[in-house]
Amino acid sequence: MADTLAIRTAGLVTVQDLGRVGRSRYGLPANGAADQHSARVANVLCGNDDRAPLLEITALDFACVPSGDVLIAVTGAPAQVSVEGVVRPQWEPLPVRAGETVRVTGINRGLRVYLAVLGSFEAERLQGSCAPDTILGFGPPLRAGDELALRTACPPIDHPFSRIPLFRLNAPVPPFPTSWTIDVTDGPDRAEFGDTARRLFDAPFTVAPRSNHIGLRLQGDRVPRRVTKGEVLSRGVPIGAVEVPAGDELLVLHRGRGVTAGYPVLAVVTATGLSALGQVRPGQSIHFRHRTLDQAITAHRAQRQAIDALRSRVRTAFEALRIRAPAPS
């Protein structure tokens, strides 16, 4: 029988990956991990393919127990991670023996934590992805007592000195501030706002409680259109669209967004900004920062290059310890 990862304290946790890339043309939201950077790094630290299934733990405490020896990595928002009561670091691989309890508690400053396992685990897929879709009712949250079948056995990893970390791989850890700066580029309707578009950058906005993976509602100064061309017809909108409805809130569409909408789009959050936005908690403030397309592309490439460099270091460490990296699923 395959080893399993048994969920003991569920909180709010789902099985995620990087979403349904290229399926928007068929009307399917992308979904996937809200903080794609942290999700990628967690899988890379375990020697997995970037797109392998992993756990997304949102806000609440979590605990699990593997039935066999495993190697895990926990990334994302700062939290207290412990293995059998011993506090362990985030953002590096952690060996866990069979029957030991892994706990993630006290998530703070950010909203989501990611837990990957060497070899990942079995997960149902819809259109090539295991990412939940709340509209279709696919991929419900895990519950206490659920078990995930692990795909790869991990050899026991002996730790020669208990107080010295086994791995120091210098993973690219993003900042988790109390007030967030989110990069955006110009949206398709920027010209309709004239000089009032500056209001998007002049003052902070506060994330309202009614925010989720579909989109964030932001409270702050209104940004009215100066050139009104009547109602906007429903059309395709990108992930990260900063929409300006007629009311007092801004809407920022995230990975669970529907593929069409009918509000003016003042700006679009960059790829790196989207990962940061996936960690913003209700009640926290956001400052938007304007970036050109070239600046946005450069920042995205730098982030991906940092992950590629980490992947090389992980490969070297695994080879030295005779840990066999799993084949892509």
Side-chain angles (χ1 to χ4, degrees), residues 41 48 75 80 122 144 219 242 251 278 281 289 296 299 311 329:
V41 171
N48 297 337
T75 64
Q80 180 165 295
E122 302 295 342
Q219 299 170 338
V242 180
L251 301 178
R281 302 174 70 97
R289 180 171 61 181
R311 184 181 290 107
S329 58

Side-chain angles (χ1 to χ4, degrees), residues 94-289:
L94 303 174
V96 179
R97 303 302 295 267
E100 292 185 331
T101 300
V102 178
R103 297 187 187 278
V104 178
T105 60
I107 298 173
N108 64 91
R109 294 189 358 232
L111 188 60
R112 295 175 172 94
V113 164
Y114 294 87
L115 190 153
V117 180
L118 171 71
S120 189
F121 36 76
E122 302 295 342
E124 293 184 1
R125 283 177 164 81
L126 172 68
Q127 287 292 305
S129 170
C130 67
D133 188 308
T134 56
I135 303 301
L136 297 178
F138 176 78
L142 298 176
R143 297 176 297 179
D146 287 347
E147 294 187 349
L148 301 172
L150 301 176
R151 295 183 60 244
T152 303
C154 178
I157 303 172
D158 292 329
H159 199 305
F161 302 100
S162 61
R163 297 192 179 190
I164 299 177
L166 183 59
F167 298 94
R168 282 182 174 168
L169 294 169
N170 193 29
V173 183
F176 287 86
T178 55
S179 178
W180 296 79
T181 298
I182 303 298
D183 289 345
V184 298
T185 58
D186 287 336
D189 304 314
R190 164 66 179 78
E192 295 187 22
F193 291 86
D195 58 357
T196 64
R198 293 196 308 268
R199 298 186 187 181
L200 185 66
F201 310 104
D202 287 344
F205 293 84
T206 302
V207 178
R210 291 192 302 149
S211 299
N212 54 29
H213 68 289
I214 295 175
L216 287 78
R217 295 178 179 270
L218 306 182
Q219 299 170 338
D221 289 343
R222 292 188 65 239
V223 188
R225 283 192 289 173
R226 289 300 190 198
V227 181
T228 303
K229 297 181 179 179
E231 294 296 324
V232 177
L233 297 178
S234 291
R235 58 190 171 164
V237 289
I239 300 170
V242 180
E243 294 188 319
V244 185
D248 295 333
E249 294 181 322
L250 293 183
L251 301 178
V252 184
L253 304 185
H254 216 281
R255 299 195 61 81
R257 64 80 172 96
V259 298
T260 61
Y263 294 125
V265 177
L266 171 57
V268 178
V269 178
T270 66
T272 53
L274 276 171
S275 286
L277 201 62
Q279 290 290 357
V280 180
R281 302 174 70 97
Q284 288 187 313
S285 63
I286 288 175
H287 282 84
F288 287 107
R289 180 171 61 181

Side-chain angles (χ1 to χ4, degrees), residues 68-79:
D69 293 342
V70 295
L71 192 72
I72 70 169
V74 182
T75 64

